[in-house]
Amino acid sequence: MTSSDGTPQQAADGQPKGFDLATLLAQRGAERYDLHSRYLNHQLPRMLHTIGFDKVYERAEGAHFWDADGNDYLDMLAGFGVMGLGRHHPVVRKALHDVLDAGLADLTRFDCQPLPGLLAERLLAYSPHLDRVFFGNSGTEAVETALKFARYATGRPRVLYCTHAFHGLTTGSLSVNGEGGFRDGFAPLLPDTAVEMGDLDALARELKRGDVAALIVEPIQGKGVYPTPPGYLRAAQELLHRHKALLIADEVQTGLGRTGDFYAYQHEEGVEPDLVCVAKALSGGYVPVGATLGKDWIFKKVYSSMDRVLVHSASFGSNAQAMAAGLATLSVMDDEKVVENSRRTGDLLRTRLAALTGEYELLKDVRGRGLMIGIEFGRPKSLGLRGRWTMLQAARKGLFAQMVVVPLLQRHRILTQVSGDHLEVIKLIPPLIVDEADVDRFVTAFTEVMDDAHNGSGLMWDFGRTLVKQAVANR
């Protein structure tokens, strides 16, 4: 409730009556870390306090955040890839205002609204060998849909996945997750089988058993940023089809321009997956959304009669806000040549970083495509650095990469992430709108951090000792 001048009326306890978001945030926004500790995942604020990531960001736009003092931060994480267009793109923002103002009769469940069909039509135009779309709410839900559809369409129970893969954390997706740390304690899972990425002989052996429904694969694995070997997807597809099994491409992170093509599988000629999973950047970061694209015969087999019309559905799937945001996002990607920028800017960033591998012995490799880049660190040759490296590795693998991530934020106000647990790899997945000035800023900062690391003393190694103590205490 508000008074005649528009300000919220106060109840006896001083709290505003009704709901006013600005007032609520003004009164209680400073409690953010305490609230999370009390009511959500209590380990998250603990971790953020430990590594000094407990920042308070006041606003964001494009590829940048700002804190209360007006300092800007460069975002090289994009919300784990969700913010493909950066934050608060005006076209997507307007589309959401428009769809809310339209007052549509959304989610009646017994009509056919136009927005889902229009978004499906637009999305399928980027993969003309596919015919139909199921809309859900997340990447893991898109994967769950693909697993169900593949099993039903083929009549087979088993799905193959690659070692070190990440396809989500719900139970079905977890069954094809190649990281033991995520799977531990959640068994029994579905009867799926890991094969080494690139090992066609292992794939062939599993297919000969005759019970394989599909192989699910990330064209570039998010954990470690490992691209599939050249020719692997095409050869795997031929093997699968020869054994009447399907190829599922998980493009949740790699899709929608991230790698410099609309889909990462398009880097390899002749690859036409039977099912494709997308999510993350599809709504411009505003609304949870996921989509599973597939061939007509698969959908028609799953939805084979009117009795099966709701055999697979999602309560919030195809909601108007997500569909409008998706349509606006694809429009922006075309109008602003976002995919082309991803390819051009990603090539520039990767090339400049790769040139540093000859200068820094701790820098082992730079790889990736487009704006999905992995920076890997490795054992140095010089005696002094090797001793410090060995100390970190003995405590916990991955601590050196964390040592790099922290000063990038603390000293240079650049947000990055370690690419996976127990990996000495930093993954760069910035908004696809970053430009040459952002590349300059990152490379300059990274070079300074590498200089510090190779000096063998100073704040970085002091922080490394703190990380070692923390790692030992958590054992």
Side-chain angles (χ1 to χ4, degrees):
M1 297 177 63
T2 57
S3 62
S4 58
D5 64 358
T7 59
Q9 292 183 358
Q10 300 294 311
D13 61 359
Q15 296 297 315
K17 292 182 179 179
F19 179 75
D20 182 87
L21 180 62
T23 300
L24 181 64
L25 289 175
Q27 291 181 343
R28 304 201 60 192
E31 301 174 43
R32 63 188 70 195
Y33 284 94
D34 183 52
L35 288 166
H36 207 110
S37 294
R38 273 191 275 168
Y39 303 120
L40 300 169
N41 180 352
H42 64 289
Q43 294 291 2
L44 177 60
R46 182 186 176 201
M47 180 269 289
L48 294 173
H49 291 318
T50 299
I51 65 174
F53 269 42
D54 49 350
K55 303 291 184 182
V56 175
Y57 301 110
E58 294 288 331
R59 65 184 182 90
E61 183 177 347
H64 296 263
F65 311 121
W66 285 265
D67 63 20
D69 297 323
N71 298 310
D72 80 293
Y73 295 74
L74 175 60
D75 179 18
M76 298 296 282
L77 179 58
F80 296 137
V82 169
M83 300 292 178
L85 300 182
R87 282 166 172 79
H88 306 301
H89 193 286
V91 173
V92 185
R93 187 184 178 104
K94 181 179 183 302
L96 285 168
H97 281 287
D98 289 346
V99 76
L100 289 172
D101 292 342
L104 300 176
D106 193 24
L107 297 179
T108 68
R109 291 303 173 201
F110 291 98
D111 74 339
C112 291
Q113 289 288 315
L115 292 178
L118 291 169
L119 180 56
E121 179 183 60
R122 188 75 182 269
L123 196 55
L124 288 165
Y126 297 98
S127 48
H129 73 284
L130 299 174
D131 309 292
R132 296 182 183 274
V133 182
F134 174 85
F135 287 114
N137 307 291
S138 66
T140 194
E141 193 170 335
V143 169
E144 295 277 359
T145 299
L147 298 180
K148 284 181 66 175
F149 281 27
R151 282 188 162 101
Y152 193 85
T154 62
R156 296 172 176 179
R158 205 157 54 102
V159 174
L160 306 179
Y161 62 96
C162 294
T163 51
H164 309 299
F166 183 93
H167 297 293
L169 296 176
T170 51
T171 303
S173 300
L174 192 60
S175 301
V176 291
N177 190 316
E179 174 53 50
F182 290 114
R183 297 165 64 98
D184 291 347
F186 296 105
L189 299 172
L190 299 177
D192 297 325
T193 305
V195 294
E196 193 71 32
M197 185 173 74
D199 190 340
L200 292 169
D201 291 335
L203 176 61
R205 283 195 301 271
E206 296 298 331
L207 288 170
K208 285 178 182 177
R209 293 171 58 181
D211 63 344
V212 172
L215 167 70
I216 184 168
V217 60
E218 302 159 278
I220 301 178
Q221 288 189 335
K223 182 180 170 64
V225 193
Y226 291 106
T228 53
Y232 174 69
L233 290 178
R234 174 70 179 270
Q237 175 180 274
E238 292 173 356
L239 264 175
L240 288 159
H241 289 175
R242 195 181 311 154
H243 290 269
K244 302 188 184 309
L246 307 180
L247 176 62
I248 303 171
D250 181 348
E251 295 269 4
V252 169
Q253 186 164 111
T254 55
L256 277 72
R258 168 62 57 193
T259 66
D261 272 322
F262 193 85
Y263 292 119
Y265 73 78
Q266 293 170 337
H267 287 281
E268 190 173 321
E269 188 176 353
V271 179
E272 295 187 346
D274 303 285
L275 292 159
V276 174
C277 306
V278 298
K280 288 193 181 288
L282 182 56
S283 75
Y286 273 102
V287 185
V289 66
T292 306
L293 291 66
K295 293 183 176 178
D296 182 71
W297 73 267
I298 298 173
F299 274 67
K300 285 186 173 175
K301 197 158 187 178
V302 172
Y303 299 109
S304 57
S305 68
M306 282 194 290
D307 289 342
R308 294 179 58 81
V309 67
L310 295 177
V311 73
H312 187 73
S313 60
S315 295
F316 285 94
S318 299
N319 71 83
Q321 289 78 26
M323 300 297 99
L327 284 163
T329 295
L330 295 181
S331 178
V332 169
M333 292 186 71
D334 286 346
D335 293 345
E336 299 184 10
K337 301 188 183 308
V338 170
V339 179
E340 291 86 340
N341 184 72
S342 176
R343 184 186 308 120
R344 181 178 60 254
T345 309
D347 286 349
L348 174 64
L349 177 57
R350 192 174 61 258
T351 299
R352 291 188 60 183
L353 289 171
L356 300 177
T357 56
E359 298 182 29
Y360 299 109
E361 56 182 297
L362 284 161
L363 185 56
K364 179 181 178 181
D365 188 28
V366 176
R367 57 179 172 267
R369 291 193 185 109
L371 284 169
M372 186 172 182
I373 297 172
I375 303 172
E376 184 172 2
F377 306 101
R379 187 172 184 266
K381 295 180 180 178
S382 60
L383 187 61
L385 284 177
R386 196 163 66 234
R388 295 178 178 89
W389 174 268
T390 302
M391 172 193 69
L392 293 173
Q393 296 294 296
R396 194 175 197 275
K397 190 175 180 181
L399 291 188
F400 181 81
Q402 192 63 62
M403 277 176 53
V404 175
V405 163
V406 169
L408 282 173
L409 181 68
Q410 299 285 24
R411 298 184 211 168
H412 302 281
R413 301 196 304 275
I414 299 175
L415 182 62
T416 57
Q417 70 166 132
V418 176
S419 180
D421 205 17
H422 302 288
L423 284 182
E424 297 291 3
V425 181
I426 293 175
K427 178 166 62 177
L428 305 181
I429 45 171
L432 306 182
I433 58 168
V434 291
D435 57 22
E436 189 168 345
D438 298 320
V439 170
D440 287 340
R441 176 173 173 178
F442 181 83
V443 173
T444 299
F446 182 76
T447 301
E448 290 184 17
V449 171
M450 284 291 95
D451 285 339
D452 189 26
H454 285 75
N455 286 336
S457 61
L459 294 176
M460 269 193 72
W461 292 101
D462 289 342
F463 178 68
R465 284 186 282 273
T466 300
L467 289 178
V468 167
K469 291 177 183 177
Q470 187 71 30
V472 171
N474 284 333
R475 285 178 176 173

